Amino acid sequence: MTGSVSPAAAPPASLARRAAAALYRHPRAQLAGLLAAPLGWLLLAYLGSLALFLVTSFWRVDSFSGNLITEPTLGNYQEIATQEIYRTIAIRTVGMAALVTVTDIVLALPIAFYMAKLASTRTRGIMVVSILLPLWSGYLVKVYAWRLILSEGGILNAALQPVGLKGPGYSEAAVWLVESYLWLPYMIIPVFAGLERIPGSLLEASADLGGRAGMTARRVILPLALPAIAAGSIFTFSLTLGDYITPTLVSNTRFIGNVVYDFVGIAGNQPLAAAYAMVPVTIMLVFLLVARRLGAFEAL
Amino acid sequence: MTLPRGIRIALRIASGLLLAFIYVPIGIIVLYSFNAARVATWPITSFTLDWYGRAIGDGGVRAALLASLQAAIGATVVSLLLGSLIALAVQRYRFFGREAISFVVVLPLALPGIVTGIALNTAFRAIGLEFGLLTIIVGHATFCVVVIYNNVVARLRRTSRSFEEASADLGADTFATFRRVTFPAVRTALIAGALLAFALSFDEIIVTNFTSGASIQTLPLWIFSNYQRPNQLPLVNVAAVLVLLLSIVPVYLASRLTADPAAVAGART
Amino acid sequence: MRMRGLTALVATAAIAVAACSSSGTSAGPSLPTSLGNGEGALNLVAWAGYVVGGTGGEQVQGYDWVTPFETATGCKVTVKVGLDSANMVQLMKTGEYDGVSASGDATLRLIAGGDVAPVNFELIPNYKDVFAGLKNQPYNTVNGVGYGVPHGRGANVLMYDPSVVTTAPDSWSAVFDANSPYKGKVTAYNYAIYIADAALYLMKTKPELKITNPYALDKDQLAAAVDLLKVQKTLIGKYWGTAQEEIDGFANGDMAIGTAWLYQQNTINAAGGKQVASVTPKEGATGWSDTWMISAKAKHPNCMYKWMDYIISPKANADVTVYFGEAPVSTAACAEAEKQSAGFCDQFHAADEQYFKNIWYWNTPTTTCLDGRGDICTDFDAWTKAWTEITGA
């Protein structure tokens, strides 16, 4: 109250401050500064290697010595397009990826809804930790645990025996089971987050207007949760599409990942592997575009 | 909110069942880490603690664990830097190619790991880069960036720009604004993202398979090669259980830090 | 390797021509004339069960033949267990390893690709004692130039679980016949080279196909083998890709009969619990003789030479062959093996060249027929694609 408060003197124009001022006046420079390192990284390390990968798909290898011949050719793509087995495997893989995604959506929704809307804060916290924790137990270890469960003398068969049923053993059904299991957390978490963002008031309003649970779910919850579901789908779909380890361990059949891996490893035929790998890449790019339309990128 | 009681109970049961489903294989792993037999069959006939003793003394496990930690820390640091830079750029500015960049950034996680792995492997060999810890970190950082990016973008989206503008009005320069306004706002998102990026890197096998060399082996690679070696199976189960126990604390921290539920949304696991 | 004089000569010449004309094969590094001291380290690629002991080898309680080597030479050994031959070729191409225990379906590819160097046998004193039947073999000797030392040899036997397969089988029909009583419990090696096993079966059961060498298949013969393997797929419970998978499969009851290496049998029986048995069926069998080869880009060549000499020395060779279950490489090694397991050499026909005339060692199929019919045969690329077709259907 007494005395005057002299306005704080402007801070001295240090180098940092002058630079900051310059940046402020030139937002583009600011942007460039932000983007330079990451873009350099992305472009060089990632996109560059992807581009190189694409280029190799137009080359071929000498089938005996395994050495690369860098003359461009469409031979690899021709081979993939004409041989029926590659189409069969691709369709099988895409089908499995879709099935696993749908399964995970169905499994995730109830638990995600419970966590988002019904659980107490403490329970919610515990459940989030419980769902995230298995991600640390190791992908391979979990698949091997499933191998034990599914084997002939394993736990599943032992448990089903009194009822007279038998487990799927090693088969495509086993792949579906294990893949759905592995990627479940990747679906639960975004869906949970998406459901949490739905204001409770909307649900109340729907009930006030006479909507019963089913109608509220169909007309209010699902559309609002769609971006989150799409976001989770990106991961379950993509992870199943490229997996080769699980099919090898719990089935006798081959998926896209197996074929790509076989070509690179067994045949040493990387160009053919690259050409076939373009199939899942293309599929995922299309999937991503659709998912973006559904708003998935905001819900990731 | 008010739901019919039947539905509440049904949901509670469904959640419980699902959690049980998630943890049955984990339980198997824990169980078999005590299996005395070298070959894993059901049911287990004899139990032993020997494997835990051997695992702690085993040089291979320790080396692999150390390698995994180094790779994960390296990848997390790199992706923290790059991820937050891109997130700031995309979220706070409008520029040509913004849509494209936000699309491209997601690719490393969305495209199959085998593609990323082979592509990086080819590129490294083309430029003659020696395979080792560096190449592993590069490979991991490529998809860890996505995790950080998602987290920070999600948080920035909910942080009003008015705070930053107010800060500028009060005389703070760009750096000061960042230090005192923006950074604190995204700090917990960064930490949560970092913990998740760490987890991703720690457990990754497919890309690592193609980007590591002879000299170094991360824990997942060690597990993979030891599954091929007879007589080592129980040791692998022990390693898995130990890692699981060690990770309870960081995961708990992550979930507390992201108590802001919307931030969990950005937490890409 | 079942090749009579002239055909062997023609085949070798053909391979030599292929090796010289394919891109990437230069004159190669010149042969070393003397060995210096060990470089202190040695990075190997090997099959499971070949490099056991020390700190960098596989860890198996009670077995260690790496530590004596490390003590004597100062070369600290690490081993990367190869998943299969293709994986080993791929690993050697990276240039990160000094040597590899390559089977015949990998050796010629490694040689043609310039990934391995010729060997100066004068620097390997124990080589002179190796059985004559293992020297100068077409799969590791090109144009008279040797590329490695033999590790041992063995056959792919028909392994079975006596509690399920109550009468001992004597024919591969148990795993190929559509009416096999073991449907759902049959296993096979999940790798393209297994096509040769089918071809061998056809060689004896369908002579009208005129197959004379299971690795020399023209398009029609390959198609016949593929058809047989598609029939087999209906019998398969689970394929095995690594020894451990087969060990688990038999132990868990998922598999009851199928092709195996004696290594799996030994490991299963040693674990107590379930016991398995095996036979060499009347149609004969495919087999393998692995060769230790030195990388053309070896960073520790002296250590590698010392290893090659060590692993064929009597005691070490006896250790590894008894552990794995394959025939040792020399009379002296046999004598050592007999001390560990009486009757070992007879059981494995170590000195019985007549026995091995009926075993078709893994070899690399090439377009130039290995039986001398000309350029009408299918190569390993075609076999790999055929295998994808069989298993992916």
Side-chain angles (χ1 to χ4, degrees), chain C residues 84-359:
Chain C
D84 50 44
S85 288
N87 181 231
M88 290 180 166
V89 172
Q90 194 190 18
L91 287 170
M92 289 309 286
K93 277 197 184 302
T94 62
E96 309 251 329
Y97 300 91
D98 302 304
V100 59
S101 63
S103 297
D105 56 326
T107 48
L108 293 178
R109 281 193 283 163
L110 288 168
I111 296 172
D115 302 306
V116 293
V119 166
N120 183 355
F121 293 109
E122 316 230 330
L123 301 175
I124 305 179
N126 282 310
Y127 185 69
K128 59 185 183 328
D129 299 322
V130 168
F131 288 125
L134 280 170
K135 292 187 187 170
N136 299 322
Q137 290 300 302
Y139 46 81
N140 59 19
T141 311
V142 174
N143 227 2
V145 179
Y147 280 84
V149 297
H151 173 98
R153 51 185 165 176
N156 293 321
V157 298
L158 181 59
M159 187 163 84
Y160 63 96
D161 179 353
S163 63
V164 174
V165 182
T166 43
T167 37
D170 69 343
S171 161
W172 289 107
S173 62
V175 301
F176 282 122
D177 192 314
N179 301 318
S180 166
Y182 312 113
K183 183 175 171 138
K185 301 268 187 184
V186 171
T187 185
Y189 189 38
N190 194 354
Y191 186 64
I193 204 71
Y194 187 70
I195 293 177
D197 286 65
L200 179 63
Y201 183 68
L202 288 174
M203 202 162 108
K204 302 290 158 98
T205 55
K206 288 219 175 102
E208 63 270 20
L209 286 171
K210 297 210 184 69
I211 299 176
T212 54
N213 180 326
Y215 301 96
L217 303 177
D218 61 38
K219 287 196 178 37
D220 297 324
Q221 293 164 336
L222 180 62
V226 168
D227 287 340
L228 181 64
L229 287 163
K230 283 184 178 167
V231 166
Q232 186 190 55
K233 184 156 194 254
T234 61
L235 305 170
I236 298 272
K238 181 90 181 64
Y239 287 98
W240 63 273
T242 61
Q244 185 62 33
E245 282 172 46
E246 190 172 35
I247 292 171
D248 286 338
F250 271 83
N252 277 320
D254 296 316
M255 304 168 186
I257 187 167
T259 180
W261 309 327
L262 280 162
Y263 176 57
Q264 280 85 299
Q265 179 180 337
N266 290 349
T267 311
I268 295 174
N269 291 344
K274 191 175 280 267
Q275 299 291 297
V276 293
S278 65
V279 296
T280 309
K282 60 185 188 222
E283 296 93 357
T286 53
W288 28 266
S289 172
D290 299 333
T291 309
W292 282 101
M293 308 178 106
I294 181 170
S295 167
K297 303 185 201 130
K299 297 192 179 99
H300 314 103
N302 292 338
C303 279
M304 188 58 205
Y305 264 90
K306 290 180 195 293
W307 173 261
M308 287 195 283
D309 186 46
Y310 174 75
I311 201 66
I312 59 175
S313 64
K315 176 77 170 55
N317 197 255
D319 283 346
V320 63
T321 50
V322 169
Y323 173 72
F324 191 89
E326 57 180 327
V329 294
S330 64
T331 322
C334 262
E336 283 291 334
E338 295 281 328
K339 292 184 202 163
Q340 296 182 27
S341 166
F344 185 80
C345 279
D346 285 336
Q347 184 191 4
F348 285 87
H349 307 275
D352 187 355
E353 299 301 335
Q354 193 57 38
Y355 171 79
F356 281 105
K357 284 202 169 26
N358 284 323
I359 303 296

Side-chain angles (χ1 to χ4, degrees), chain A residues 17 20 30 35 38 53 114 129-130 132 136 138-141 144 155 181 186 193 196-197 203 235 238 270 298 300, chain B residues 1 12 22-23 28-29 42 86 89 93 110 118 122 157 171 174 199 203 224 227 247 251 255 261 265 268-269:
Chain A
R17 194 159 172 88
Q30 219 170 28
L35 285 178
F53 190 61
Y114 180 78
V129 174
S130 310
L132 286 178
W136 284 82
Y139 163 83
L140 257 186
V141 183
Y144 268 91
I155 297 164
Y181 171 83
Y186 292 79
E196 215 173 9
R197 275 200 291 258
L203 300 169
F235 295 102
S238 139
Q270 181 166 312
E298 270 76 53
L300 275 173
Chain B
M1 59 158 287
R12 184 173 282 160
I22 291 179
Y23 274 90
I28 303 279
I29 298 169
W42 176 262
I86 304 188
Y93 300 84
I118 299 177
T122 319
R157 201 178 285 134
T174 319
D203 189 34
F224 193 47
Y227 269 131
S247 62
V251 171
S255 75
R268 167 62 25 250
T269 46

Side-chain angles (χ1 to χ4, degrees), chain B residues 175-186:
Chain B
F175 298 130
T177 305
F178 177 77
R179 225 173 50 234
R180 286 160 152 230
V181 177
T182 322
F183 184 67
V186 300

Side-chain angles (χ1 to χ4, degrees), chain A residues 67 79 92 152 248 252 266, chain C residues 23 86 237-238 254 379 385 392:
Chain A
N67 293 323
E79 180 158 350
R92 173 187 302 139
E152 184 65 28
T248 311
N252 289 321
I266 294 180
Chain C
S23 54
K238 181 90 181 64
D254 296 316
D379 63 7
K385 290 177 188 156

